[in-house]
Amino acid sequence: YRFSPEVINIGSKIFFVHTDSIFEFSGGVYYRFRDFRPNIMATDFRDETTSVTEFVNGYLISEPAAFIGGNLKLPKGWSLECGVRLSSGITEKTWFVIPEPRIRMTHETSKSFSQHINYVRLSQFDHSLESSNVGLRSMLWIPVSKEFGPEVSDVYSCGVNGQVKNYVWSVDLYLKTMHGMVDFKPGASFLYAASINDLLDKISGKSYGVETFLVKRIGRLTGNFTYTYSRSKREWFAPEGRIWIPSVADRPHNINIAIKYFWKSKTSFGLNWVFSSGLPATIYIHNTMYGKWFETKNNIRYPDYHRLDFSMRRIFKIKNTFINLDLDISNVYNRRNTFYLKEVFDETRKTFIYKNVSLFPIMPSISLSFQKSWSMK
């Protein structure tokens, strides 16, 4: 199959804001028109005959919306922000209206410590379909329809943040529930389906986690540390019933450490280390007369991703001209991070194996930039 998606967006927004020392009030209307053309086609060549099936070749969607909200400052450091957005999607055959309430309560215990709790509902009028095979992945975007309506998610979060001397820190927890998601059915094939609806299942999803960061902004040595533990799961209809499996976005551990050191006034050095858990993927573990088969989607996980980047900047000044010399080395220790796994035949073992395919080795670069300062007399 092949696809060449095209999306044309035309939109406009009108809003107003009223502010005083205690109460802030805002509202407005929004409109977006979308010419949506997924252009999904499947070609089957059999018995010297070629047949072509088109899926969702063209679609027009109007998305008007209105929103209103306010922010009220309360005594003893409390503030309340709430509002609602009314989103709608109108197609040639159906229409949807989704209310999206939101509320946020914050409390500043002091200038260096505050807490917050939030709730927001979000909706979207298109669906993303991503393959999770170990091979080169593809993503299809399809619009809403009467059978598969909008995706709606509810997001709950709370957190605390503060500052101790030159350090700023934050801890946030979140939970997100998703309904109306769309994914391929087990064993779905473009070659044997008559319409896009034959390929799809309506599912639910959920994600949760904790996000933390620590930042030092002042001094010769600055930097930040962030760590996120996050899980993303989705429904899977197995023979024994509904189960929860990792989604294609499930990466439990994410770490980023960035350090910058200012040596004298015109030279600086930087280090940046990134780590992420490997993405889930699907391998076919059964061979049948109808082709390859897997029992559960996302049944393996890629190796963990990590790399180290180095940077250096030297500033030269010649009269009124500043010259910046930058040296950057990406992936310093030449980590062969997995982009995808390619199935190849091993002549020695007489069987198929999966070979790691990576894109970016160690990559050094040097650049010069010039900045001229002018004085007007």
Side-chain angles (χ1 to χ4, degrees), residues 262-278:
F262 294 89
W263 184 58
K264 297 183 178 179
S265 60
K266 298 180 180 180
T267 305
S268 61
F269 301 91
L271 288 174
N272 186 56
W273 187 69
V274 178
F275 174 90
S276 295
S277 299

Side-chain angles (χ1 to χ4, degrees), residues 199-262:
L199 299 168
L200 305 180
D201 261 338
K202 186 181 291 187
I203 63 170
S204 296
K206 60 183 178 182
S207 61
Y208 55 88
V210 56
E211 300 175 346
T212 65
F213 77 79
L214 176 66
V215 180
K216 183 177 185 292
R217 299 176 177 175
I218 301 175
R220 275 194 164 188
L221 182 65
T222 61
N224 64 75
F225 168 82
T226 62
Y227 170 73
T228 301
Y229 175 78
S230 61
R231 301 308 306 262
S232 178
K233 298 184 178 183
R234 46 143 294 174
E235 290 179 312
W236 175 260
F237 296 99
E240 62 271 21
R242 187 192 75 164
I243 61 175
W244 288 92
I245 64 172
S247 72
V248 293
D250 183 66
R251 304 186 95 161
H253 302 284
N254 295 271
I255 302 173
N256 184 278
I257 302 174
I259 299 173
K260 192 168 186 179
Y261 178 70
F262 294 89

Side-chain angles (χ1 to χ4, degrees), residues 109-122:
T109 305
S110 64
K111 293 183 179 180
S112 58
F113 185 79
S114 64
Q115 315 98 50
H116 61 87
I117 184 169
N118 313 278
Y119 164 75
V120 61
R121 171 168 288 182
L122 304 170

Side-chain angles (χ1 to χ4, degrees), residues 364-377:
S365 64
I366 299 177
S367 63
L368 281 173
S369 60
F370 303 86
Q371 184 178 355
K372 180 81 172 179
S373 60
W374 303 87
S375 61
M376 304 297 292
K377 295 183 179 181

Side-chain angles (χ1 to χ4, degrees), residues 322-359:
F322 291 90
I323 303 174
N324 299 322
L325 172 63
D326 292 289
L327 169 65
D328 296 282
I329 304 176
S330 180
N331 196 8
V332 172
Y333 49 79
N334 199 30
R335 166 75 175 180
R336 297 288 182 173
N337 289 299
T338 302
F339 183 63
Y340 71 95
L341 297 178
K342 182 179 181 179
E343 189 179 30
V344 296
F345 187 76
D346 189 327
E347 293 290 347
T348 303
R349 304 178 186 177
K350 301 300 180 182
T351 186
F352 284 95
I353 62 173
Y354 290 98
K355 180 181 178 181
N356 179 63
V357 177
S358 61
L359 286 185

Side-chain angles (χ1 to χ4, degrees), residues 61-81:
I61 306 177
S62 293
E63 298 182 8
F67 60 93
I68 189 172
N71 188 352
L72 178 62
K73 294 182 180 180
L74 302 172
K76 297 183 179 180
W78 290 91
S79 65
L80 175 65
E81 181 180 352

Side-chain angles (χ1 to χ4, degrees), residues 12 26 29 39 66-67 81 86 108 161 204 231 234 276 285 293:
S12 180
S26 62
V29 294
N39 295 331
F67 60 93
E81 181 180 352
L86 201 64
E108 291 189 5
N161 57 77
S204 296
R231 301 308 306 262
R234 46 143 294 174
S276 295
I285 57 178
W293 181 258

